[in-house]
Amino acid sequence: MSEPNHPLASRFAAADVYEKLTGGWPARVAKNLIANLPVPITPKSKIFDNCCGSGAVTTAIINSTHQKGFIPKINATDLSPGMVDHVSKLFNDFPEIETKIMDAQKLEFAENSFSHIICAFGVFFCPDYEAGYREMYRVAAPGSVTVITSWKVVGWLPLVNYVIKKVRPDQEDWTFPAPPGFKENEWVKERMLEAGWKDVEVREVEDYTSTTSETGDALISIVKDAFEGWTDEEKARWGPLFVEAAKVYGIPETSEGGWKLRMVALAATGRK
Ligand SMILES: C[S@@+](CC[C@H](N)C(=O)[O-])C[C@H]1O[C@@H](n2cnc3c(N)ncnc32)[C@H](O)[C@@H]1O
C-alpha cells in the first residue's frame, strides 16, 4: 500500500527541486552504475529501478540500450507521488517503462521477478531499511545482479551544520535520516550479505554537486527538520550563512558563481 502522505515522501515531493539540489550527480552516477554492471542488460532483461526519484537510473538504462537497438522492460517505483508522476510523464511514450507509487519496504512484485535491480540512494531512507533489503532480495531472480548505493561523503553536510551552529549554537548537528553505518564500506557490504546476496563487492564512485545559493535554498526541503522551531528571522539567515560556510570550508568556486562540493557514493553489488 502506498503512503502519499508519508513524511519521507514529502521530503522528496518535487522532482524539479530535487534535480536542482543534486547539481547533476544522479545522471552521472547512474551512468557509471549501468556501465559497470557485471551482468549485461539484454532485450530479455527485467529491470527494477527501486526508489527511482526523478528517473536517473531508468534514463541511464534507456540511453545505454537505445544505442544498441532495444529498450528493456523497466519497473520504476518510488514512495513520492511527485517523483512517480514526473517519471511516468517523462517516459509516457515508452511501453516498456512501468511506474508505480510503492514503498520499498513492501514491494508489490512476485519473488524472483528481476534480472537487474538498481536502488540508487533510496533504501537507507526506509525506517525499516532491513525490510527494504529483504524485499529487494525476494524479488531478485536467481542469476540476477543488484546494485545498492549510499553515500560515503556528502559535501554539503558540513555547510548545513555550519549554518545551524551559527544560528543556534546549542542545537545538535543535523544528520542524514539514515542508519549510521551507511557511510561505511563494510557496513553496506554486511547488509547485502545478511539479506542473502553473494559475491558482494563495494566500490567508491567519486562525483560532485554543483551548488549555487539557489541550490542552497533547494536543500531546505531535505533538511527541513533542522529548522523546526526556528523563527522567520533565523530562517532568513540560511542563504547568507550558506554562502559564508562555503567560503570558510574553502569549497572551490564554479564559473557560474557557485561551488563544487565533493560527493563520494558507495556502490554495493551482489549476485543472487
Ligand atoms: C536521494 S533520492 C534518489 C532518487 C534516484 N534513485 C536517484 O538516484 O536520483 C531518494 C528517493 O527515495 C525515495 N524513497 C524514500 N523512502 C522510500 C521508500 N520507503 N520507498 C520508496 N521510495 C522511497 C524518495 O522519495 C526519493 O525519491
Side-chain angles (χ1 to χ4, degrees), residues 49-124:
D49 178 1
N50 189 12
C51 305
C52 63
S54 61
V57 167
T58 295
T59 304
I61 295 166
I62 293 173
N63 285 344
S64 137
T65 63
H66 194 248
Q67 298 164 356
K68 297 171 194 152
F70 70 94
I71 294 177
K73 184 162 172 13
I74 306 174
N75 285 87
T77 67
D78 198 283
L79 192 59
S80 158
M83 294 294 198
V84 173
D85 186 51
H86 175 85
V87 178
S88 103
K89 283 185 179 134
L90 208 56
F91 300 112
N92 200 20
D93 296 337
F94 293 76
E96 300 87 352
I97 317 304
E98 266 182 53
T99 59
K100 196 167 184 193
I101 300 168
M102 203 181 289
D103 186 346
Q105 298 161 108
K106 213 172 170 197
L107 297 174
E108 300 162 33
F109 298 114
E111 60 188 33
N112 302 333
S113 288
F114 296 100
S115 62
H116 300 75
I117 300 178
I118 323 284
C119 182
F121 313 103
V123 71
F124 54 74

Side-chain angles (χ1 to χ4, degrees), residues 180-219:
F182 89 116
K183 296 174 179 165
E184 292 155 23
N185 301 42
E186 271 313 303
W187 190 91
V188 295
K189 182 174 183 178
E190 192 52 37
R191 298 283 73 65
M192 284 194 87
L193 288 170
E194 216 160 83
W197 280 281
K198 307 267 181 287
D199 305 329
V200 177
E201 283 176 15
V202 182
R203 67 188 178 91
E204 294 180 12
V205 181
E206 182 87 30
D207 208 272
Y208 64 91
T209 181
S210 298
T211 302
T212 60
S213 49
E214 194 190 17
T215 320
D217 289 345
L219 260 176

